[in-house]
Every structure is written in structure tokens, then in C-alpha cells.
């Protein structure tokens, strides 16, 4: 008996995005199968972030379609947001807030309550190795530590499809290796990952 065909989780079809006179994304089409780890490689300014923002429902295509788990990102953004985790290339920090308080705040925003919330925050901190940083002020973190914190925030609602925009940019070699190990672990758990970079390695 032949093995089952892989299931398409993401379908991008002839997507264009135009800003004034800039054609940022031109006729892009691709599929991502459930459980795949896909690298999205291109030079700075090639439209990677714009594409990922559209997939994460933070922007809308000028034309074409994007479907995730057979839901249209424009027609059903709320359904998409329950499936997708988004890690931007830059994220805001808050003064006078520790790493633990930051994750706890977002866990509350995602609807976790009581003991379930504390357990989920602890699970994410353990997975992303944020435990030693729990009491550190988040605006005093190094680039690598900040990336791990943003990564942890993305994981809180346990999304099925993870979109990571330049997650290794600015990291030292040790931090890049640690990040690769986290990606490998998530892949082993059956997550689907879409990772942009201009760094081929």
C-alpha cells in the first residue's frame, strides 16, 4: 500500500502586494506541507517580510490568495490567528518588566488562567531556556536572549504553524546553534515552520 500523500497546510497562489509605486511581492505561489520546515531565502528587500505579514494576517494581498488549513487569510483572519505563531524580526520591549512578567502578560492575553497559565508559562520558559532569565528586565537582554524571549512568546498558545522572520539575524554562532536545536525539537513535535533568512547557512 503506498504511503499517504502529504497534506497541504499552506497554499499561496499568485500573490501580489503593491505599496504606492513599489511592487513588493510579484506573482508568488508555493505550498507548504504539514510538518515541513521550510526556509524562505532571499536578499534584503526581496519581499520576505511582506509575504510573511500577509500569511500572519497583518497585511492583505493586493491580489491572489493565501489559505492556511483551508481557511482564507483575508476572509477568516480570526481562524488563521488561532493556528499561526508569528515571530517578527523586531519586537517592542517594555521598561520595568521582567522576562517572566512579559510571558505571563501574554499568556493572560491568550486566555490562560490560574494554574494552567502558570504551567504554560513554565513549559515555554523551560523549552526556550528562559528560566535563568526569569527575573531579568527584558529591556536589558542581549540580542540572542531577546530573540529567545520573542520565540517563547510565539509558542505560548501552542500554534500549529510557526512563521519566523529572520530569527537568526544578529545572533552569535552559539545562539544560532541553540536556535537550530529549538527548530529541530519543534519539527520532531510535528510543528510546521516557515523561516525567512538572507543567511544561506
Amino acid at each position: 500500500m503506498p504511503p499517504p500523500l502529504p497534506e497541504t497546510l499552506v497554499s499561496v497562489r499568485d500573490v501580489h502586494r503593491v505599496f504606492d509605486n513599489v511592487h513588493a511581492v510579484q506573482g508568488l505561489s508555493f505550498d507548504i506541507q504539514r510538518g515541513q520546515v521550510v526556509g524562505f531565502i532571499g536578499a534584503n528587500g526581496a519581499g520576505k517580510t511582506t509575504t510573511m505579514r500577509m500569511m500572519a494576517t497583518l497585511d492583505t494581498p493586493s491580489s491572489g490568495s493565501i489559505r492556511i488549513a483551508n481557511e482564507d487569510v483575508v476572509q477568516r483572519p480570526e481562524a488563521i490567528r488561532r493556528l499561526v505563531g508569528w515571530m517578527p524580526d523586531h519586537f517592542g520591549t517594555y521598561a520595568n518588566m521582567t522576562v517572566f512578567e512579559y510571558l505571563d502578560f501574554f499568556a493572560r492575553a491568550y486566555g490562560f488562567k490560574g494554574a494552567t497559565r502558570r504551567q504554560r508559562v513554565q513549559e515555554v520558559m523551560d523549552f526556550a531556556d528562559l528560566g535563568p532569565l526569569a527575573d531579568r528586565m527584558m529591556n536589558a537582554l542581549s540580542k540572542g536572549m531577546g530573540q529567545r524571549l520573542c520565540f517563547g512568546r510565539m509558542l505560548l498558545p501552542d500554534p500549529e504553524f510557526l512563521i519566523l522572520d529572520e530569527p537568526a539575524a544578529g545572533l552569535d554562532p552559539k545562539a544560532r546553534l541553540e536556535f537550530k536545536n529549538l527548530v529541530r525539537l519543534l519539527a520532531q513535535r510535528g510543528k510546521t515552520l516557515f523561516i525567512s533568512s538572507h543567511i544561506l547557512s
Side-chain angles (χ1 to χ4, degrees), residues 164-182:
L164 299 88
D165 189 9
E166 299 280 1
L171 299 186
D172 61 37
K174 180 175 182 291
R176 281 189 191 168
L177 282 174
E178 290 171 350
F179 170 73
K180 286 180 183 177
N181 287 333
L182 291 177

Side-chain angles (χ1 to χ4, degrees), residues 125 129-136 148:
M125 291 183 72
D129 195 25
L130 291 165
L133 306 175
D135 297 323
R136 185 86 60 93
R148 285 216 311 271

Side-chain angles (χ1 to χ4, degrees), residues 8 10-16 27-31 63-67:
T8 299
V10 179
S11 178
V12 176
R13 287 292 175 272
D14 195 28
V15 167
H16 293 254
L28 185 64
S29 297
F30 59 86
D31 291 332
S63 63
S65 69
I66 301 173
R67 299 184 71 83

